[in-house]
């Protein structure tokens, strides 16, 4: 159900929004903590892309997604 809501929201705001960047990042963090890193990685990349566009590269929300992506890569053995 959550994925369908995100998909509908993405259609409504194709370029993303600040709220969507945060929600995507939160959901990706949940997936990563739950051990589903393969599913979390593309969502984190999208959240990072959106956060950079909405907040800027040095913003805490953007950096949170950078750190999450690094943790996901470590969990996948890419680190």
């Amino acid at each position: 159900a959550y994925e369908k809501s995100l998909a509908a929201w993405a259609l409504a705001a194709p370029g993303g929004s600040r709220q969507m960047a945060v929600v995507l990042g939160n959901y990706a963090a949940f997936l990563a903590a739950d051990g589903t890193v393969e599913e979390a990685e593309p969502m984190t990349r999208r959240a990072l892309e959106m956060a950079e566009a909405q907040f800027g590269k040095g913003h805490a929300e953007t950096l949170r997604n950078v750190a999450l992506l690094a943790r996901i890569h470590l969990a996948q053995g890419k680190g």
Side-chain angles (χ1 to χ4, degrees), residues 26-37 40 68 71-72:
N26 288 343
Y27 189 53
F30 167 78
L31 290 173
D34 195 41
T36 53
V37 293
L68 177 59
R71 288 194 306 274
I72 289 169

Side-chain angles (χ1 to χ4, degrees), residues 8-78:
W9 197 0
L11 289 175
S17 68
R18 286 177 170 234
Q19 295 86 0
M20 188 175 204
V22 172
V23 169
L24 270 178
N26 288 343
Y27 189 53
F30 167 78
L31 290 173
D34 195 41
T36 53
V37 293
E38 297 302 324
E39 190 176 342
E41 183 181 7
M43 191 170 297
T44 303
R45 288 183 183 282
R46 180 70 179 125
L48 175 58
E49 180 181 289
M50 236 184 267
E52 283 182 350
Q54 296 295 323
F55 297 107
K57 290 189 179 214
H59 191 275
E61 185 61 30
T62 303
L63 298 174
R64 182 178 76 95
N65 285 297
V66 170
L68 177 59
L69 188 58
R71 288 194 306 274
I72 289 169
H73 284 176
L74 286 173
Q76 293 172 326
K78 295 179 181 178

